[in-house]
Amino acid sequence: MNEDVRLTERGLRVLRFMIEEPRASRSGAEIAKTTKIGSGTLYPLLARLEAAGWFTSEWEDVDPHEAGRPRRRLYRLTGVGQRRAREALSGLQLGTGVPSWAT
Amino acid sequence: MGYLIDILVGVVSAIVTGELRAHVKPFARWIIERAVRRLSLADRERFREEWLAHLEETPGILRKIWHVFGCYLCAAKLSKIRARYSERIVRPEKVVTFAEWLGGLARYYASNTNTTRFADLPPEELTAIERVLTAKLRELTEDELKLVLRIGMKYSPTLARLYAHLFETSEQPKQPHDQQPAL
């Protein structure tokens, strides 16, 4: 299922945010807030990345009745996703936020 | 006179803001519900909960409205992406296994009872079967569910009705009561 994904600038923004803490799980709301991408663009993008095997997602481990709110769906980079994200970002020198000549 | 207008404007804007605050959540939930209906059956529950959780985390009236309209507008696109994905992950063997199980169930009833049709079963047995069927049907993707229900239609008018209900189609088997299942 691991496939290439045509990445737009917004896709790169999401990857850049996710690669900062590659093992962290993030909700759609967190990603939207940080990357400033609206839900209308974000969810299809996450679906494509998930379908391509770059992201995986799971429900957060809370009881909605106890928490008094719906469960969040948490997205995380897969191993393949981490590698592909680094490749995509290094190609654009966006990966760490540090220009390549400074490292 | 000027200060009276200022007070009036203040009061009106406070009322309007209060009204908006009171109604934004039900309105946003309503939009999400409309958005979810544009998704495939298999995805509805997931995205309903995910988008509602996102709504809870979103501060401010305008942002909430922006979020739910975004969800509504992207639902059709999302549905296409997910459909392409589910086409790739449809596992025909799962459908075949379930169809065999359904056939086995029919055969069991044909050999152990005097009936060869689910519709002729006593109501309590039919209820038990439907409970098991429903549990199994929930495990399937929408494409798999369609296939299985098409197969199941031969055996059960209940499944035919379920198919018509779920997929909003008038497709019904021709006189299911008169047909003998191919056992």
Side-chain angles (χ1 to χ4, degrees):
Chain A
M1 196 61 69
N2 301 320
E3 292 175 7
D4 281 328
V5 179
R6 193 169 54 85
L7 288 167
T8 59
E9 184 269 334
R10 285 170 181 165
L12 290 167
R13 242 191 281 167
V14 170
L15 290 179
R16 191 183 185 187
F17 171 60
M18 295 297 282
I19 205 77
E20 280 173 10
E21 282 184 64
R23 284 160 198 251
S25 297
R26 311 281 194 183
S27 69
E30 269 181 282
I31 300 170
K33 190 180 167 189
T34 311
T35 58
K36 298 192 179 359
I37 297 173
S39 308
T41 307
L42 181 66
Y43 285 100
L45 177 60
L46 291 176
R48 269 203 303 273
L49 290 167
E50 197 176 5
W54 292 30
F55 278 18
T56 181
S57 71
E58 59 186 5
W59 291 113
E60 72 171 326
D61 191 18
V62 296
D63 180 357
H65 296 290
E66 277 180 21
R69 59 169 176 78
R71 287 175 304 170
R72 288 179 295 190
R73 187 87 184 172
L74 300 173
Y75 294 87
R76 193 165 47 83
L77 276 167
T78 60
V80 173
Q82 287 179 36
R83 201 173 61 242
R84 294 292 179 90
R86 286 203 178 94
E87 284 168 11
L89 293 166
S90 67
L92 292 167
Q93 299 184 350
L94 290 168
T96 59
V98 179
S100 59
W101 50 263
T103 55
Chain B
M1 189 64 188
Y3 72 90
L4 274 177
I5 291 171
D6 286 348
I7 290 170
L8 195 65
V9 168
V11 169
V12 170
S13 64
I15 291 169
V16 170
T17 311
E19 284 295 310
L20 278 174
R21 280 218 178 98
H23 291 103
V24 72
K25 225 167 177 179
F27 174 69
R29 283 171 179 270
W30 182 76
I31 297 285
I32 285 182
E33 199 50 49
R34 308 301 301 179
V36 160
R37 283 188 202 174
R38 303 176 85 190
L39 298 172
S40 71
L41 199 72
D43 284 332
R44 288 180 187 179
E45 213 162 305
R46 169 186 165 170
F47 285 99
R48 180 183 292 116
E49 190 162 7
E50 185 169 1
W51 288 343
L52 285 173
H54 189 146
L55 181 69
E56 289 287 325
E57 288 183 73
T58 306
I61 295 170
L62 288 177
R63 281 190 189 176
K64 282 186 197 295
I65 301 286
W66 184 251
H67 162 61
V68 294
F69 276 110
C71 293
Y72 184 82
L73 292 173
C74 82
K77 194 175 172 186
L78 188 59
S79 189
K80 278 183 197 160
I81 294 167
R82 298 279 300 175
R84 279 206 301 274
Y85 175 52
S86 85
E87 272 166 25
R88 288 202 295 267
I89 62 162
V90 162
R91 283 155 291 182
E93 72 272 17
K94 199 161 135 188
V95 177
V96 172
T97 308
F98 190 26
E100 281 173 358
W101 179 84
L102 205 62
L105 193 67
R107 271 194 297 277
Y108 170 81
Y109 274 96
S111 56
N112 291 283
T113 65
N114 292 326
T115 181
T116 53
R117 289 189 294 246
F118 282 178
D120 297 333
L121 295 172
E124 64 275 12
E125 287 189 30
L126 198 58
T127 309
I129 290 169
E130 280 176 349
R131 203 172 293 146
V132 176
L133 270 176
T134 310
K136 279 187 166 276
L137 291 173
R138 282 199 185 121
E139 295 170 8
L140 302 174
T141 66
E142 184 174 349
D143 291 337
E144 292 169 339
L145 182 64
K146 268 187 182 171
L147 263 171
V148 162
L149 288 181
R150 276 177 184 280
I151 295 162
M153 273 182 188
K154 285 191 291 185
Y155 300 104
S156 163
T158 309
L159 291 183
R161 279 198 299 275
L162 184 61
Y163 184 94
H165 172 70
L166 291 177
F167 302 113
E168 297 170 341
T169 169
S170 56
E171 195 170 344
Q172 295 268 359
K174 285 173 192 164
Q175 299 172 325
H177 287 280
D178 300 333
Q179 288 179 341
Q180 293 291 321
L183 298 174

